[in-house]
Amino acid sequence: MKTYTEQAVVLGLLTVLGATGELWSAVAAAGTVLLAGLAVGLAERLGRGLPLIGAAWEGSVRWGVLTGVGFAVSWLCGATAPFVLPLPASVARWIQWSGLTPIVLVAAVRPVRETVRLWGVFLCVMLLTAAIREGFGNGTLGGRLAPMGFVTPSSIFRTPVGAFLLAGAWVLAARCRMRRHMDGEALNLA
Amino acid sequence: MNPTLKMFVDGWFADNPVFVGLLCALPALVMPERAKTAVAPAIRLGAVFATIAVGGGLLAAALPSPLLPVVVLAGTATGIGLLRVWGELRGEWAGLPKSVLVLAPLAALQLRVAELPGMAEAMAVAGGAALGFAWAFIALGAIREAVRIAECDPVFKTLPVMLFSMGMFALALYGFVLL
């Protein structure tokens, strides 16, 4: 995985595919992933830093605790999100599972700067995917009639078909952009 | 068709956990390298998914709801342990232990089974999902193998083509949803 977009799509695949049917669902799921990620990062630093735990902070214990922290945060977010945002009931499940996606756990293994950049790209991917899926699939944006609302909604965008095709399109676009950038650098050197 | 049998068959196609349910999309996208070498992992993963889904799901349904996340996490850890004993999920992926690939599928399948009314339904859904996952896993292994040796532009290789292929599978399986 070379580009940040590629990493964001694959590491957060469950959320990118499942929670981008509507814009508010994507906002809630992305927010949950970021909160769970922050909690995991904090737990990792605490686990490493405390002298009593530090020695045992390896292998299964470490990953068990970090997974538990991520899942606990996303479970709570999934239970509270429908009271805060206008979400369909089925989305609460995707929010509850989002704490188990690998993108939450990267906070424990990568440098802070790299993790923040990855999460930023993930947030953009989530919001763009949701805007396209809801806009073209339902004719609305955030539940309100979209500017392109006069277009007949194409329900394929709301199905997993649209989710897979858009995820593939982001990866392909990122790779094409990187190649163009590299070709440009090669031309400058020549 | 008998409703329980329909639940079982739906797991293969109309409610496939990789292409339609999406719960198991990540391990199926990342793990299979070739069709031939994907058969054994597909059987092992499918068997563990079904066992943990039934066991954890029924236990979670029987206990008070505040204990649900704890039971699900314990079931997930047991599933990962079983797969490791069976020789799967060794090594790292993207800097993380490879077991992170099956965290969400194991937990989500247990939660799904916990919502079902009885043992027969639980076994039908878990068994159908396991078989649906297994054939999807092997099919994606074959696609990855074909993409790797194909004479195409490198930007298309592997991940974009895999995701587009999964979209096409989902489109085909939606025909069963409409039936």
Side-chain angles (χ1 to χ4, degrees):
Chain A
M1 289 187 282
K2 291 168 187 170
T3 66
Y4 275 96
T5 309
E6 202 168 336
Q7 292 180 51
V9 168
V10 177
L11 291 168
L13 190 72
L14 184 81
T15 319
V16 171
L17 296 177
T20 51
E22 291 102 15
L23 197 57
W24 286 121
S25 311
V27 170
T32 304
V33 164
L34 299 186
L35 271 178
L38 283 174
V40 164
L42 198 66
E44 166 70 10
R45 270 138 197 87
L46 271 175
R48 280 215 180 283
L50 291 177
L52 283 174
I53 308 173
W57 194 246
E58 281 305 324
S60 306
V61 175
R62 178 189 176 204
W63 291 110
V65 171
L66 294 178
T67 305
V69 168
F71 189 48
V73 171
S74 66
W75 188 268
L76 289 174
C77 288
T80 50
F83 298 103
V84 181
L85 293 169
L87 299 174
S90 60
V91 175
R93 288 184 199 161
W94 290 102
I95 296 171
Q96 283 178 334
W97 302 333
S98 62
L100 295 170
T101 49
I103 199 159
V104 168
L105 296 170
V106 294
V109 291
R110 297 200 185 176
V112 175
R113 196 177 170 150
E114 197 180 319
T115 306
V116 169
R117 195 171 169 193
L118 185 63
W119 286 348
V121 175
F122 172 73
L123 188 64
C124 294
V125 166
M126 286 288 290
L127 295 180
L128 278 173
T129 308
I132 293 172
R133 286 184 73 191
E134 191 188 342
F136 289 103
N138 207 26
T140 58
L141 267 179
R144 296 176 182 210
L145 199 62
M148 71 289 254
F150 58 87
V151 177
T152 308
S154 173
S155 59
I156 196 166
F157 279 100
R158 297 202 67 194
T159 64
V161 183
F164 278 121
L165 295 182
L166 280 173
W170 297 136
V171 175
L172 190 59
R175 284 186 178 186
C176 289
R177 186 169 167 267
M178 190 177 76
R179 187 170 70 173
R180 202 173 62 179
H181 181 69
M182 287 168 73
D183 287 349
E185 278 184 355
L187 277 174
N188 285 340
L189 284 173
Chain B
M1 191 189 288
N2 180 312
T4 311
L5 182 63
K6 188 174 184 303
M7 281 180 173
F8 181 63
V9 176
D10 278 353
W12 309 350
F13 303 114
D15 201 13
N16 186 289
V18 175
F19 303 121
V20 183
L22 305 173
L23 306 173
C24 304
L26 183 60
L29 175 71
V30 171
M31 287 175 73
E33 291 293 326
R34 290 186 294 147
K36 201 173 170 184
T37 56
V39 175
I43 293 169
R44 288 173 192 148
L45 285 164
V48 170
F49 283 176
T51 311
I52 294 298
V54 173
L58 291 177
L59 189 63
L63 291 172
S65 57
L67 290 175
L68 189 62
V70 180
V71 174
V72 167
L73 269 182
T76 305
T78 311
I80 290 170
L82 281 173
L83 285 167
R84 287 214 169 169
V85 168
W86 232 343
E88 295 295 329
L89 307 177
R90 298 283 169 92
E92 289 196 342
W93 170 78
L96 298 163
K98 221 172 178 182
S99 51
V100 299
L101 293 170
V102 297
L103 284 175
L106 282 168
L109 284 171
Q110 288 177 77
L111 288 168
R112 203 171 148 206
V113 168
E115 292 170 353
L116 296 168
M119 181 78 175
E121 287 85 359
M123 290 184 76
V125 166
L131 283 174
F133 171 79
W135 82 254
F137 193 90
I138 296 165
L140 289 170
I143 292 171
R144 184 182 281 264
E145 189 177 359
V147 172
R148 201 181 297 118
I149 58 173
E151 289 182 11
C152 68
D153 195 314
V155 291
F156 287 99
K157 285 220 171 182
T158 321
L159 202 51
V161 172
M162 293 284 284
L163 286 165
F164 290 142
S165 304
M166 289 169 95
M168 291 301 107
F169 268 112
L171 185 62
L173 294 180
Y174 255 77
F176 291 97
V177 176
L178 298 174
L179 278 177

